[in-house]
């Protein structure tokens, strides 16, 4: 079994999902009391949050590439950045290490392709929904990506940073997200990507008019599969 290195704390609320899913999948596959060989390098979220809002992505890259190198030195055989937004520096991390870096958008894209979907909605931070680093990576898998209009993107973004990364789950925010998903479905989305790992704390299949594609869960499952393939 390969050792999985998780660059987490982005935020720790969703890093918990990774740890849980990876260990569950390993136990399902191997049985008994098996669990994953894993390492977590968890950063202080306030530090990186301040950097991205100041558009200091070079410093984010330095921080996360350092985390990746540390995990590799400790024995990680593969790395994950446990975030959609922070996958913006995934290529930098990949260049800095000698082990594979599993990109979250590729895990999501593979699932969408397997389901035969041709158009999907995307919810996430403003960075993820608006900047090309994530949407272009998804589009390379061969489907169209829809995002909400500007006002609704702002709502999704603020719920993430003002509530979800702090562990706050509000029914009013769940309802607002569900209405946005309904609108994306009306525009032709066959599914919706929960493209911020914290959204999975708030939204599930029962809240959605179309299938949801939980990015953290899909990323974690891909990591478990890759680790066990060794």
């Amino acid at each position: 079994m390969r050792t999985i290195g998780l660059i987490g704390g982005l935020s720790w609320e969703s890093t918990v999902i990774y740890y849980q899913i990876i260990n569950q999948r390993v136990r399902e596959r191997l049985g008994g009391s098996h669990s994953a060989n894993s390492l977590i390098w968890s950063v202080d979220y306030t530090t990186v949050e301040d950097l991205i809002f100041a558009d200091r992505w070079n410093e984010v890259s330095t921080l996360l590439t350092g985390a990746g190198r540390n995990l590799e030195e400790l024995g990680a055989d593969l790395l994950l950045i446990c975030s959609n937004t922070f996958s913006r520096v995934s290529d930098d991390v990949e260049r800095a290490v000698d082990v594979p870096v599993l990109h979250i958008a590729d895990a999501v894209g593979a699932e969408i392709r397997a389901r035969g979907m041709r158009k999907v909605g995307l919810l996430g931070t403003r960075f993820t929904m608006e900047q090309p680093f994530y949407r272009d990576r998804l589009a390379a898998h061969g489907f169209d990506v829809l995002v909400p209009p500007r006002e609704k993107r702002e709502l999704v973004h603020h719920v993430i940073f003002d509530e979800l990364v702090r562990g706050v789950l509000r029914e009013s925010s769940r309802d607002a997200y569900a209405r946005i998903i309904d609108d994306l479905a009306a525009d032709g989305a066959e599914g919706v990507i929960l493209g911020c790992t914290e959204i999975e704390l708030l939204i599930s299949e029962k809240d959605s008019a179309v299938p949801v594609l939980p990015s953290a869960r899909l990323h974690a499952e891909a990591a478990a599969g890759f680790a066990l393939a060794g």
Side-chain angles (χ1 to χ4, degrees):
M1 191 195 310
R2 296 183 176 102
T3 298
I4 301 169
L6 303 172
I7 301 175
L10 303 167
S11 66
W12 72 261
E13 299 281 351
S14 61
T15 303
V16 171
I17 297 173
Y18 278 85
Y19 189 70
Q20 181 179 50
I21 296 299
I22 287 169
N23 282 290
Q24 286 176 344
R25 293 298 171 265
V26 169
R27 184 169 60 190
E28 289 169 5
R29 174 81 172 271
L30 300 181
S33 56
H34 280 287
S35 58
N37 294 332
S38 63
L39 300 162
I40 301 176
W41 194 278
S42 190
V43 304
D44 180 356
Y45 189 72
T46 293
T47 300
V48 290
E49 184 180 56
D50 289 347
L51 290 174
I52 62 175
F53 278 103
D55 200 29
R56 292 158 61 183
W57 283 96
N58 286 341
E59 293 174 60
V60 173
S61 175
T62 298
L63 185 64
L64 298 192
T65 54
R69 289 193 191 99
N70 289 336
L71 287 167
E72 182 180 25
E73 187 174 331
L74 290 168
D77 299 306
L78 65 150
L79 300 178
L80 285 74
I81 298 174
C82 300
S83 167
N84 293 275
T85 296
F86 290 93
S87 69
R88 173 168 165 168
V89 301
S90 182
D91 289 346
D92 296 341
V93 175
E94 190 167 13
R95 284 190 291 267
V97 299
D98 294 321
V99 296
V101 179
L102 303 187
H103 199 293
I104 190 168
D106 291 338
V108 174
E111 176 68 13
I112 294 169
R113 194 170 62 246
R115 295 193 187 199
M117 295 178 178
R118 289 179 284 185
K119 184 181 290 187
V120 295
L122 170 63
L123 300 182
T125 67
R126 188 169 60 235
F127 309 101
T128 301
M129 291 187 287
E130 296 178 359
Q131 296 180 10
F133 72 92
Y134 193 82
R135 293 175 62 179
D136 287 357
R137 187 104 182 193
L138 286 172
H141 288 269
F143 49 83
D144 294 330
V145 180
L146 305 176
V147 296
R150 182 183 180 86
E151 181 179 343
K152 292 177 182 177
R153 292 200 302 269
E154 289 297 320
L155 185 153
V156 172
H157 178 87
H158 285 295
V159 166
I160 292 167
F161 284 104
D162 296 341
E163 300 173 23
L164 301 184
V165 300
R166 303 178 185 188
V168 176
L169 305 178
R170 292 182 176 148
E171 195 65 33
S172 59
S173 296
R174 180 179 289 110
D175 291 343
Y177 271 45
R179 289 192 295 272
I180 293 171
I181 292 171
D182 285 344
D183 291 343
L184 290 169
D187 288 338
E190 302 168 77
V192 62
I193 301 166
L194 306 184
C196 173
T197 53
E198 285 81 16
I199 295 177
E200 292 164 56
L201 302 170
L202 183 69
I203 294 293
S204 65
E205 290 279 359
K206 66 182 177 59
D207 305 303
S208 175
V210 292
V212 298
L213 300 145
S215 57
R217 177 176 292 272
L218 293 171
H219 201 197
E221 290 176 344
F226 190 94
L228 290 169

